[in-house]
Coordinates of all heavy atoms in Angstrom, one line a residue:
Y254 N 100.5 101.8 91.4 CA 100.3 102.2 92.8 C 98.8 102.5 93.0 O 98.0 103.0 92.2 CB 101.1 103.5 93.0 CG 102.5 103.3 92.8 CD1 103.1 103.6 91.6 CD2 103.3 102.8 93.8 CE1 104.5 103.4 91.3 CE2 104.7 102.6 93.6 CZ 105.3 102.9 92.4 OH 106.6 102.7 92.2
P255 N 98.4 102.2 94.3 CA 97.0 102.5 94.7 C 96.8 103.9 95.1 O 97.8 104.5 95.7 CB 96.7 101.5 95.8 CG 98.1 101.3 96.4 CD 99.1 101.4 95.3
V256 N 95.7 104.5 94.8 CA 95.4 105.9 95.2 C 94.1 105.8 96.1 O 93.1 105.1 95.7 CB 95.1 106.8 94.0 CG1 94.5 108.1 94.5 CG2 96.5 107.0 93.3
N257 N 94.1 106.4 97.2 CA 93.0 106.3 98.1 C 92.8 107.7 98.8 O 93.6 108.0 99.7 CB 93.2 105.2 99.2 CG 91.9 104.9 99.9 OD1 91.1 105.7 100.2 ND2 91.8 103.6 100.4
V258 N 91.8 108.5 98.4 CA 91.7 109.8 98.9 C 90.4 110.0 99.7 O 89.3 109.7 99.2 CB 91.7 110.8 97.7 CG1 91.5 112.3 98.2 CG2 92.9 110.7 96.9
D259 N 90.5 110.4 100.9 CA 89.4 110.7 101.8 C 88.7 112.0 101.3 O 89.3 113.0 101.2 CB 89.9 110.9 103.2 CG 88.7 110.9 104.2 OD1 87.6 111.1 103.8 OD2 89.0 110.7 105.4
L260 N 87.4 111.9 101.1 CA 86.7 113.1 100.6 C 85.8 113.8 101.6 O 84.9 114.5 101.3 CB 85.7 112.6 99.4 CG 86.4 111.9 98.3 CD1 85.4 111.4 97.2 CD2 87.4 112.8 97.6
R261 N 86.2 113.6 102.9 CA 85.4 114.2 104.0 C 85.3 115.7 103.9 O 84.3 116.3 104.4 CB 85.9 113.7 105.3 CG 87.2 114.3 105.8 CD 87.6 113.8 107.2 NE 87.7 112.4 107.2 CZ 87.7 111.7 108.3 NH1 87.6 112.3 109.5 NH2 87.9 110.4 108.3
S262 N 86.3 116.3 103.4 CA 86.3 117.8 103.3 C 85.2 118.3 102.3 O 84.8 119.4 102.3 CB 87.6 118.3 102.8 OG 87.9 117.8 101.5
L263 N 84.6 117.4 101.5 CA 83.6 117.7 100.5 C 82.2 117.2 100.9 O 81.3 117.3 100.1 CB 84.0 117.2 99.2 CG 85.3 117.7 98.6 CD1 85.6 117.0 97.3 CD2 85.3 119.2 98.4
N264 N 82.1 116.7 102.2 CA 80.8 116.2 102.6 C 79.6 117.2 102.4 O 79.7 118.3 102.7 CB 80.8 115.9 104.1 CG 81.6 114.6 104.4 OD1 82.1 113.9 103.5 ND2 81.9 114.3 105.7
G265 N 78.6 116.6 101.7 CA 77.4 117.5 101.5 C 77.5 118.4 100.3 O 76.5 119.0 99.9
E266 N 78.6 118.4 99.6 CA 78.8 119.2 98.4 C 78.4 118.5 97.1 O 78.5 117.3 97.0 CB 80.2 119.7 98.3 CG 80.7 120.5 99.5 CD 80.2 121.9 99.5 OE1 79.4 122.3 98.5 OE2 80.5 122.7 100.4
R267 N 77.9 119.3 96.1 CA 77.7 118.8 94.7 C 79.0 119.1 94.0 O 79.3 120.3 93.8 CB 76.5 119.4 94.1 CG 75.2 118.9 94.6 CD 74.0 119.6 94.0 NE 74.0 119.4 92.5 CZ 73.5 118.4 91.9 NH1 73.1 117.3 92.5 NH2 73.5 118.3 90.5
V268 N 79.7 118.1 93.6 CA 81.1 118.2 93.1 C 81.2 117.7 91.7 O 80.7 116.7 91.3 CB 82.1 117.5 94.0 CG1 83.5 117.5 93.5 CG2 82.0 118.0 95.4
K269 N 82.0 118.5 90.9 CA 82.4 118.0 89.5 C 83.9 117.5 89.7 O 84.8 118.3 90.0 CB 82.4 119.1 88.5 CG 81.0 119.7 88.3 CD 81.1 120.9 87.4 CE 79.7 121.6 87.3 NZ 79.8 122.9 86.6
F270 N 84.1 116.2 89.5 CA 85.4 115.6 89.7 C 86.1 115.7 88.3 O 85.5 115.5 87.3 CB 85.4 114.2 90.2 CG 85.1 114.1 91.6 CD1 83.8 113.7 92.1 CD2 86.0 114.3 92.6 CE1 83.5 113.6 93.4 CE2 85.8 114.2 93.9 CZ 84.5 113.9 94.4
I271 N 87.4 115.9 88.4 CA 88.2 116.1 87.2 C 89.5 115.2 87.3 O 90.2 115.2 88.2 CB 88.7 117.6 87.0 CG1 87.5 118.5 87.0 CG2 89.6 117.7 85.8 CD1 87.9 120.0 87.2
L272 N 89.6 114.3 86.2 CA 90.8 113.5 86.1 C 91.7 114.1 85.1 O 91.2 114.4 83.9 CB 90.4 112.0 85.7 CG 89.4 111.3 86.6 CD1 89.2 109.9 86.1 CD2 89.9 111.2 88.0
T273 N 93.0 114.3 85.4 CA 93.9 114.9 84.5 C 95.2 114.1 84.4 O 95.7 113.6 85.5 CB 94.2 116.3 84.9 OG1 93.0 117.1 84.9 CG2 95.2 117.0 84.0
V274 N 95.8 114.0 83.2 CA 97.1 113.4 83.1 C 97.9 114.4 82.3 O 97.5 115.0 81.3 CB 97.1 112.1 82.3 CG1 98.5 111.7 81.9 CG2 96.4 111.0 83.1
L275 N 99.1 114.8 82.9 CA 100.0 115.8 82.3 C 101.3 115.1 81.8 O 101.9 114.2 82.6 CB 100.4 116.8 83.3 CG 99.2 117.7 83.9 CD1 99.7 118.4 85.2 CD2 98.7 118.6 82.9
A276 N 101.8 115.4 80.7 CA 103.1 114.9 80.2 C 104.2 115.6 81.0 O 104.2 116.8 81.2 CB 103.2 115.2 78.7
N277 N 105.1 114.8 81.6 CA 106.2 115.3 82.3 C 107.4 115.3 81.4 O 108.4 114.6 81.6 CB 106.4 114.5 83.6 CG 107.3 115.1 84.6 OD1 107.4 116.4 84.6 ND2 108.0 114.3 85.4
G278 N 107.4 116.2 80.4 CA 108.4 116.2 79.3 C 107.7 115.8 78.0 O 106.5 116.2 77.8
T279 N 108.4 115.2 77.1 CA 107.7 114.8 75.9 C 106.6 113.7 76.2 O 106.8 112.9 77.0 CB 108.8 114.2 74.9 OG1 108.1 113.8 73.7 CG2 109.5 113.0 75.5
S280 N 105.6 113.8 75.4 CA 104.4 112.9 75.6 C 104.4 111.7 74.7 O 103.4 111.0 74.7 CB 103.1 113.7 75.5 OG 102.9 114.1 74.2
H281 N 105.5 111.4 73.9 CA 105.4 110.4 72.8 C 105.0 109.0 73.4 O 104.5 108.2 72.6 CB 106.7 110.4 72.0 CG 107.8 109.7 72.7 ND1 108.6 110.2 73.6 CD2 108.2 108.4 72.4 CE1 109.5 109.3 74.0 NE2 109.3 108.2 73.3
D282 N 105.4 108.7 74.7 CA 105.1 107.4 75.2 C 104.3 107.4 76.4 O 104.3 106.4 77.2 CB 106.5 106.7 75.4 CG 106.4 105.2 75.2 OD1 105.4 104.7 74.6 OD2 107.3 104.5 75.7
D283 N 103.5 108.4 76.6 CA 102.7 108.6 77.9 C 101.4 108.0 77.8 O 100.3 108.6 77.9 CB 102.6 110.1 78.2 CG 103.9 110.7 78.6 OD1 104.9 110.0 78.9 OD2 104.0 112.0 78.6
F284 N 101.4 106.7 77.8 CA 100.1 105.9 77.8 C 99.8 105.6 79.3 O 100.4 104.7 79.9 CB 100.2 104.6 77.0 CG 100.5 104.8 75.5 CD1 101.8 104.9 75.0 CD2 99.4 105.0 74.7 CE1 102.0 105.1 73.7 CE2 99.6 105.2 73.3 CZ 100.9 105.3 72.8
A285 N 98.9 106.4 79.8 CA 98.7 106.4 81.3 C 97.3 105.7 81.6 O 96.3 105.9 80.9 CB 98.6 107.8 81.8
L286 N 97.3 104.9 82.6 CA 96.2 104.1 83.0 C 95.6 104.5 84.3 O 96.3 104.6 85.3 CB 96.5 102.6 83.1 CG 96.9 101.9 81.8 CD1 97.4 100.5 82.1 CD2 95.6 101.8 80.9
W287 N 94.3 104.8 84.3 CA 93.5 104.9 85.5 C 92.7 103.5 85.6 O 91.8 103.3 84.8 CB 92.4 106.0 85.5 CG 93.0 107.4 85.4 CD1 93.3 108.0 84.2 CD2 93.2 108.3 86.4 NE1 93.7 109.3 84.5 CE2 93.7 109.5 85.9 CE3 93.1 108.2 87.8 CZ2 94.0 110.6 86.6 CZ3 93.5 109.3 88.6 CH2 93.9 110.5 88.0
V288 N 93.0 102.7 86.5 CA 92.4 101.4 86.6 C 91.4 101.3 87.8 O 91.7 101.7 88.9 CB 93.4 100.3 86.8 CG1 92.8 98.9 87.0 CG2 94.4 100.2 85.6
N289 N 90.1 101.0 87.4 CA 89.0 100.9 88.3 C 88.9 102.2 89.2 O 88.7 102.2 90.4 CB 89.2 99.7 89.3 CG 87.9 99.3 89.9 OD1 86.8 99.7 89.4 ND2 87.9 98.5 91.0
P290 N 88.9 103.4 88.5 CA 88.7 104.6 89.3 C 87.2 104.7 89.7 O 86.3 104.6 88.9 CB 89.1 105.7 88.3 CG 88.8 105.1 87.0 CD 89.1 103.6 87.1
R291 N 87.0 105.1 91.0 CA 85.6 105.1 91.5 C 85.6 105.9 92.8 O 86.6 106.1 93.5 CB 85.1 103.7 91.7 CG 85.8 102.9 92.8 CD 85.7 101.4 92.6 NE 86.2 100.7 93.8 CZ 87.5 100.4 93.9 NH1 88.4 100.9 93.1 NH2 87.9 99.7 95.0
I292 N 84.4 106.3 93.1 CA 84.1 106.8 94.5 C 83.4 105.7 95.2 O 82.4 105.2 94.8 CB 83.1 108.0 94.4 CG1 83.7 109.1 93.5 CG2 82.9 108.6 95.8 CD1 85.0 109.7 94.0
T293 N 84.1 105.3 96.3 CA 83.5 104.2 97.1 C 82.7 104.8 98.3 O 83.0 105.9 98.8 CB 84.6 103.3 97.7 OG1 85.5 104.1 98.5 CG2 85.4 102.6 96.6
R294 N 81.7 104.0 98.6 CA 80.8 104.4 99.7 C 80.5 103.2 100.6 O 80.3 102.1 100.1 CB 79.5 105.0 99.2 CG 78.5 105.5 100.2 CD 77.4 106.3 99.6 NE 77.9 107.5 99.0 CZ 77.2 108.3 98.2 NH1 76.0 108.0 97.7 NH2 77.8 109.4 97.8
Q295 N 80.4 103.4 101.9 CA 80.1 102.3 102.8 C 78.6 102.2 103.1 O 77.9 103.3 103.2 CB 80.8 102.6 104.2 CG 82.3 102.8 104.0 CD 83.0 101.6 103.3 OE1 82.7 100.5 103.5 NE2 83.9 102.0 102.4
S296 N 78.1 101.0 103.2 CA 76.7 100.8 103.3 C 76.4 99.6 104.2 O 77.2 98.7 104.3 CB 76.0 100.6 102.0 OG 74.7 100.2 102.1
A297 N 75.3 99.7 105.0 CA 74.9 98.6 105.8 C 74.2 97.5 105.0 O 74.1 96.4 105.4 CB 73.9 99.0 106.9
Q298 N 73.9 97.8 103.7 CA 73.2 96.8 102.8 C 74.1 96.5 101.6 O 74.8 97.4 101.1 CB 71.9 97.4 102.4 CG 70.9 97.7 103.5 CD 70.5 96.5 104.3 OE1 70.4 95.4 103.8 NE2 70.3 96.7 105.6
P299 N 74.0 95.3 101.1 CA 74.8 95.0 99.9 C 74.2 95.7 98.7 O 73.0 96.1 98.7 CB 74.6 93.5 99.7 CG 73.3 93.2 100.4 CD 73.3 94.1 101.6
A300 N 75.0 95.8 97.6 CA 74.6 96.5 96.4 C 73.5 95.7 95.7 O 73.6 94.4 95.7 CB 75.7 96.8 95.5

């Protein structure tokens, strides 16, 4: 599934982001993937 979170509530803040995975029961097979996790920003110029 895609995750897309608007961060406007944090505009102008210096933030420490935290990624967490919790076992929902036994963790013996909990191989969890964060794929291409990033903070995106819009710009008038290419990278």
Side-chain angles (χ1 to χ4, degrees):
Y254 301 92
V256 169
N257 193 330
V258 180
D259 190 341
L260 302 177
R261 71 178 62 197
S262 63
L263 300 175
N264 285 353
E266 299 285 359
R267 286 178 58 82
V268 176
K269 299 172 185 174
F270 284 103
I271 304 169
L272 302 184
T273 299
V274 171
L275 300 166
N277 194 27
T279 178
S280 63
H281 80 279
D282 212 14
D283 288 346
F284 297 92
L286 289 171
W287 297 88
V288 175
N289 202 17
R291 65 203 187 282
I292 304 296
T293 61
R294 179 169 295 166
Q295 306 305 316
S296 173
Q298 302 296 328

